[in-house]
Amino acid sequence: MNELLQDSPDKKMLLLGNEAIVRGAIEAGVALVAAYPGTPSSEIADTFFQLQKESGVYFEYSTNEKVAMEVAAAAALAGVRSLCSMKHVGVNVAADFLMSLAYLGVRGGMVIVSADDPSMFSSQNEQDNRMYGKFSGLPILEPSSIAEAMEMTRYAFDLSEELQEPVILRTTTRINHSTGVVSLGPINKNRATGTFPKDPFRYTVIPSVAMKLHKALLANYEKAAALSDTSPLNFTCGDGVWGIITSGVSYNYVSDALEELGLTSRVRVLRIGFSHPLPDKKIKDFLGKCEKILVVEELEPYLEEGVKVKAQEIGSIIPIRGKGEGIFSRAYEFDPAMVRGVIASYFGVENKNKKPIAIEMANIPQRPPNLCSGCPHRATYAAIREAFGDEPIYTNDIGCYTLGVLPPLSMSDVSVCMGASIGLGSGLGKATGRKVISFIGDSTFFHGGIPGLINALHNDHDQTVVIMDNGTTSMTGFQPDPGTDMTKMGLTNASVSIEALVRGIGVKHVTVAKPFKFKKTIEQIKEAVAFKGLSVVISQEICPMYEKTFKKPEKRTYYIDHDKCKNHRVCLNTLACPAFYLDGEKVEIDESACIGCTLCVQVCPENAIRLRKIGE
Amino acid sequence: MKTKFNVHNMTRIIFVAVGGQGNLLAAHLLGEAALAHNIPVQISEIHGMAQRGGVVESAIVMGKAQSNIISRGEADVLVGFEPLETLRAIGKCNKDSYVISNTFPLPPFTVAIGMGAYPSIEETMEKIKSQVKKLVAFDGSTMAREAGTLLSLNMVMLGALAGTGLVPVSAEMIKQTIAEKTKKAFLEMNIKAFDRGFAATSKVANA
């Protein structure tokens, strides 16, 4: 049995934050989980996927976050406990549904995990999704530790059922991707089968129904606020007339700082774990005991503004500071020494920061990530660059292939969010009159690219869309997408054909290219670009890293024949394959890194790249 | 080796490596060993695009601390799996830090294709040595290969960390964790690699 499923209450385990969330949901008796992967949330989905058979918890990778939320919410409407997980920007995708789901409410407990990414380790922005609590009216819980992530997930289901509305568990990368010790609780094995008593004028959000539901949501808000006020998740510690209000991982940095600065008896702390609605009375009581307040929170001044409103209500004029010059920034994640420094300066005590070692690093080479050796995206990009150079505008999307922005490939002029490459391409083409080539991966195409493609067809945009179909969601760890061949995993899910879909909507020029057939691909792309109107090239080749998870690849490597090599360096300078290196002035291939894709063989003008015969 | 550990003491350790060098597994094994000793432990990782050749950093905090990340200047021990990455992470250390570094380079791709130069390893190690309490640098990659596979570099580095005596977890407990949590087929090689690393620093510690 998988360790995460053991029913051994009080046993201590070392879990990744995302695993702790899974365990919390399993203890709470979750019956249905749906998700679209996205860093730092992916391991929640992946763990439920792995546990699917053994746990009896239904899991699906949904096409996108909105669909995941719809599927999960419907289960909860039917009285079954459900969860959906996504990265912070995924909530934007689901937001249309979320905002009215808040009106609708649920019957079974429903937890929405929003994994935020302060400092944008793997994201295009660092939006603060606590704002979604305020925006939708739904409750938000924010854990400070791994153990708490598990406990809060468990509690979130109860809270959701008590309020009959979904609860948002808002984490940050330092929770999702950190490991800590948790103490297991018992597993709730009562997973009810859902029922759906028809009540159309309760669940069909036409205006007359929505009018009533909004009032119900506001009444629920009051109920949630009362719960927040008595919740042990909002607690105070320490003593003194100086106050700190904090939440999430910032609470840890505050606790350590107060200990290290010797301020535990001079500064009282209000830790907010139930952060929407804010605990009104607790905050006002806290304000009454303080002469000066510091609000410590990453990203937006969510707590700070809430606290200031409450101060106004009780006529308090004590200084309350959070974001601003010399205090905290709205940008990037915090760290312990930085928080300690601000606390020390705000309260005017001596700080004890240790001096970091400084060594001149101006000329230290960076280590940027790169497309893997044998990556088919490199082949597609190289073919298009060979055909058109810098002439077209290249719009790009979200996935491994975004790494094509790096030179020498340089194949992304603009990339914003999931699925945007096609719409961006249409608008840029119209505004500039230039040819636009839009790149999008298979998973991203299913997720958010299809409406853009239909739009480009319907509105007759002169644009070429290259769907880079490598059969999986590589960037986040090889999760299946609707096009994935599931038989390899012994599963029977249908595999949606991108080609049939594109032809089915009526795109006139559709080609399927095999990017490692380099010259043929160049011809195909030239034809597609020459076509007046919308053309689609599906560049199809399975991700070799993904393939490797199923079968050991045949080892076939190539080497440079130095009798033939004239050192043009076309291979090195146009492909930037990580299997290449320079030995002095000689180009060499690291055969332990080469996987034998043959792309370099096809670009070499001297035929100097040769297959290593077995036994050579 | 018996270790006494006061939970009020903290040990903050950074592992830094290139994607694929096994840093996360090493950190996790250390964490499991700490849990077996009943020592509070937390690990945080940043591995955004590690699989695509980027840098992977783990922070392991043992003791009473609530924070699970380590600020600049606050690492007690830095374990660098690759010399350039040891240098890049040196700002995590202060003058009292202990640094362990592999000296076998993995040049970043930009260097491999002639854009930028890899700094002199000897000079780099000298610079680091002059500013921290102790630096132990050795060719861990060769040790790993000699133990049977380059993939056991993470065990060499973990052994080296244990050999310093600075972590409140015994080498025996870490080895027991390796036996429980890693593939049986690699066990002998892993233990051999761990012992080689252990010897590399314990010798120095006792010298």
Side-chain angles (χ1 to χ4, degrees):
Chain A
M1 187 174 62
N2 187 294
E3 281 194 310
L4 277 173
L5 296 175
Q6 60 184 315
D7 201 2
S8 349
D10 302 325
K11 185 183 169 173
K12 285 188 172 175
M13 273 183 92
L14 196 61
L15 295 183
L16 187 70
N18 281 338
E19 293 173 327
I21 291 168
V22 170
R23 173 68 193 194
I26 285 170
E27 288 182 4
V30 70
L32 181 145
V33 178
Y36 185 80
T39 314
S41 77
S42 305
E43 295 83 2
I44 300 171
D46 299 351
T47 306
F48 276 115
F49 181 56
Q50 284 158 18
L51 295 179
Q52 184 165 213
K53 274 194 185 138
E54 224 180 329
S55 66
V57 177
Y58 174 81
F59 172 78
E60 68 174 47
Y61 287 111
S62 302
T63 322
N64 63 32
E65 294 85 353
K66 179 168 178 281
V67 177
M69 196 182 284
E70 289 157 359
V71 170
L77 269 183
V80 159
R81 287 193 162 189
S82 72
L83 178 143
C84 61
S85 59
M86 57 202 67
K87 69 184 291 168
H88 59 325
V89 288
V91 181
N92 302 340
V93 176
D96 189 11
F97 182 75
L98 174 70
M99 295 303 292
S100 299
L101 173 64
Y103 279 35
L104 210 60
V106 291
R107 289 167 59 227
M110 178 185 182
V111 177
I112 298 166
V113 182
S114 164
D116 294 14
D117 191 17
S119 279
M120 299 159 278
F121 291 105
S122 320
S123 305
Q124 66 266 42
N125 76 15
E126 54 176 349
Q127 67 184 47
D128 186 334
N129 275 7
R130 292 177 301 175
M131 296 304 181
Y132 272 112
K134 236 172 148 172
F135 199 21
S136 66
L138 295 175
I140 294 213
L141 303 181
E142 264 186 277
S144 296
S145 68
I146 308 310
E148 210 178 33
M150 187 182 89
E151 291 152 17
M152 275 192 186
T153 306
R154 206 168 49 203
Y155 167 65
F157 284 97
D158 293 336
L159 178 64
S160 169
E161 274 170 19
E162 185 168 358
L163 293 169
Q164 297 276 286
E165 63 188 15
V167 171
I168 300 171
L169 181 78
R170 187 260 189 174
T171 59
T172 55
T173 302
R174 296 304 183 171
I175 293 291
N176 301 98
H177 281 177
S178 293
T179 300
V181 181
V182 305
S183 180
L184 302 184
I187 292 178
N188 174 355
K189 296 194 181 82
N190 297 325
R191 288 193 211 102
T193 305
T195 57
F196 187 65
K198 290 194 179 195
D199 190 357
F201 293 97
R202 164 74 179 76
Y203 294 127
T204 307
V205 198
I206 50 175
S208 57
V209 175
M211 298 272 283
K212 287 183 217 144
L213 293 179
H214 192 194
K215 292 289 274 222
L217 173 64
L218 295 176
N220 239 12
Y221 179 90
E222 296 305 324
K223 206 171 151 192
L227 288 170
S228 177
D229 236 337
T230 54
S231 172
L233 299 177
N234 298 327
F235 59 82
T236 53
C237 51
D239 205 0
V241 292
W242 293 338
I244 289 179
I245 300 179
T246 184
S247 72
V249 293
S250 303
Y251 166 68
N252 304 326
Y253 312 152
V254 167
S255 300
D256 287 349
L258 295 180
E259 192 78 38
E260 282 157 7
L261 294 168
L263 287 177
T264 47
S265 59
R266 295 171 69 190
V267 179
R268 66 176 65 233
V269 176
L270 173 57
R271 200 298 299 258
I272 308 280
F274 192 142
S275 54
H276 188 264
L278 287 172
D280 183 70
K281 194 174 170 300
K282 265 187 194 156
I283 290 174
K284 286 174 178 166
D285 284 351
F286 191 80
L287 288 168
K289 289 181 181 135
C290 295
E291 288 171 2
K292 191 177 181 184
I293 301 262
L294 181 66
V295 183
V296 187
E297 60 188 324
E298 291 178 322
L299 304 179
E300 293 305 307
Y302 168 80
L303 296 176
E304 183 187 346
E305 288 174 357
V307 169
K308 283 176 173 168
V309 168
K310 301 210 183 290
Q312 201 276 343
E313 285 171 5
I314 56 168
S316 165
I317 51 157
I318 61 166
I320 300 167
R321 297 292 308 277
K323 303 291 171 179
E325 197 64 31
I327 317 267
F328 292 111
S329 170
R330 290 160 88 141
Y332 314 149
E333 71 168 3
F334 290 176
D335 69 79
M338 181 255 256
V339 168
R340 187 169 62 233
V342 175
I343 291 175
S345 80
Y346 187 72
F347 294 113
V349 298
E350 197 200 339
N351 188 19
K352 300 175 183 170
N353 273 0
K354 287 176 180 159
K355 207 173 149 215
I357 299 295
I359 294 178
E360 172 59 41
M361 303 233 186
N363 297 318
I364 300 298
Q366 292 302 305
R367 196 184 290 277
N370 188 3
L371 293 172
C372 308
S373 64
C375 175
H377 299 326
R378 176 179 291 104
T380 307
Y381 285 147
I384 295 173
R385 180 149 283 282
E386 172 76 16
F388 302 107
D390 264 329
E391 198 46 40
I393 296 173
Y394 297 118
T395 65
N396 215 308
D397 224 298
I398 306 286
C400 286
Y401 48 93
T402 321
L403 290 171
V405 68
L406 299 170
L409 296 170
S410 307
M411 293 302 273
S412 173
D413 296 317
V414 56
S415 168
V416 182
C417 71
M418 293 289 286
S421 60
I422 303 177
L424 282 168
S426 301
L428 279 166
K430 221 28 125 189
T432 63
R434 285 174 69 182
K435 190 75 201 184
V436 180
I437 301 180
S438 304
F439 298 105
I440 187 164
D442 48 332
S443 191
T444 307
F445 177 69
F446 287 115
H447 175 288
I450 295 170
L453 188 73
I454 293 173
N455 178 71
L457 178 71
H458 176 67
N459 289 312
D460 198 23
H461 287 282
D462 185 20
Q463 178 180 0
T464 299
V465 174
V466 180
I467 302 171
M468 303 170 91
D469 178 9
N470 67 357
T472 181
T473 318
S474 299
M475 181 90 269
T476 47
F478 313 123
Q479 293 84 2
D481 64 54
T484 299
D485 172 8
M486 302 292 276
T487 57
K488 287 182 178 171
M489 289 165 250
L491 297 168
T492 55
N493 310 50
S495 169
V496 179
S497 160
I498 294 177
E499 186 185 353
L501 191 152
V502 173
R503 288 190 192 282
I505 63 169
V507 178
K508 299 235 165 37
H509 189 104
V510 183
T511 331
V512 178
K514 297 285 172 190
F516 288 126
K517 292 187 171 151
F518 191 61
K519 294 216 164 66
K520 178 91 190 289
T521 301
I522 294 174
E523 278 169 36
Q524 285 171 303
I525 192 84
K526 279 184 173 166
E527 273 172 33
V529 169
F531 181 81
K532 185 88 184 90
L534 176 69
S535 58
V536 171
V537 178
I538 302 164
S539 185
Q540 207 171 55
E541 183 66 51
I542 198 144
C543 167
M545 300 286 281
Y546 170 61
E547 184 80 341
K548 214 167 70 177
T549 62
F550 294 104
K551 61 172 189 195
K552 208 172 166 205
E554 276 174 56
K555 193 70 186 163
R556 215 172 42 142
T557 65
Y558 288 77
Y559 69 99
I560 312 271
D561 179 347
H562 288 288
D563 293 337
K564 288 189 161 186
C565 176
K566 294 206 175 125
N567 223 0
H568 299 288
R569 298 192 184 172
V570 176
C571 49
L572 206 62
N573 295 336
T574 64
L575 304 180
C577 169
F580 281 77
Y581 66 97
L582 277 176
D583 182 9
E585 286 302 303
K586 281 197 317 197
V587 178
E588 295 287 1
I589 293 174
D590 172 0
E591 291 184 47
S592 69
C594 174
I595 68 158
C597 76
T598 76
L599 179 62
C600 56
V601 179
Q602 299 173 69
V603 302
C604 177
E606 305 295 338
N607 290 320
I609 302 177
R610 312 284 298 260
L611 176 67
R612 172 81 63 201
K613 299 248 165 58
I614 292 162
E616 236 182 307
Chain B
M1 188 175 79
K2 279 245 156 59
T3 34
K4 283 191 195 125
F5 186 66
N6 172 356
V7 290
H8 294 282
N9 290 333
M10 270 185 250
T11 312
R12 297 180 171 115
I13 305 153
I14 300 260
F15 281 0
V16 64
V18 175
Q21 287 189 311
N23 158 345
L24 300 180
L25 176 62
H28 199 78
L29 291 171
L30 185 60
E32 288 284 358
L35 175 62
H37 275 301
N38 224 1
I39 294 167
V41 61
Q42 303 191 78
I43 307 166
S44 67
E45 329 169 326
I46 286 299
H47 46 97
M49 290 177 127
Q51 209 162 39
R52 283 67 180 170
V55 183
V56 188
E57 189 182 290
S58 322
I60 304 114
V61 180
M62 294 189 195
K64 206 187 67 145
Q66 278 178 245
S67 309
N68 63 18
I69 61 173
I70 300 172
S71 296
R72 285 170 53 75
E74 304 212 326
D76 298 306
V77 189
L78 169 66
V79 186
F81 288 39
E82 200 277 345
L84 177 62
E85 296 316 319
T86 308
L87 175 61
R88 208 191 305 278
I90 201 67
K92 290 284 187 187
C93 296
N94 60 61
K95 63 178 174 44
D96 297 319
S97 304
Y98 194 123
V99 179
I100 303 166
S101 184
N102 181 14
T103 55
F104 188 87
L106 284 182
F109 180 65
T110 44
V111 170
I113 61 169
M115 298 156 61
Y118 197 97
S120 150
I121 294 169
E122 208 167 292
E123 281 174 31
T124 300
M125 291 302 144
E126 278 308 313
K127 269 188 217 162
I128 294 174
K129 196 172 180 178
S130 70
Q131 297 206 42
V132 297
K133 189 172 182 186
K134 189 159 230 160
L135 167 79
V136 185
F138 51 86
D139 182 349
S141 298
T142 298
M143 287 180 189
R145 242 183 254 115
E146 284 168 4
T149 168
L150 181 58
L151 292 173
S152 66
L153 172 67
N154 55 353
M155 300 298 142
V156 173
M157 301 314 288
L158 192 54
L161 174 65
T164 62
L166 293 173
V167 282
V169 182
S170 68
E172 285 70 27
M173 187 57 84
I174 300 175
K175 285 202 236 183
Q176 197 181 316
T177 312
I178 294 172
E180 283 164 16
K181 303 274 174 181
T182 66
K183 282 191 183 141
K184 298 284 162 279
F186 293 105
L187 182 58
E188 204 188 315
M189 282 185 261
N190 280 342
I191 296 295
K192 217 166 163 185
F194 181 92
D195 287 339
R196 294 291 301 269
F198 187 89
T201 52
S202 56
K203 269 193 321 225
V204 179
N206 299 330

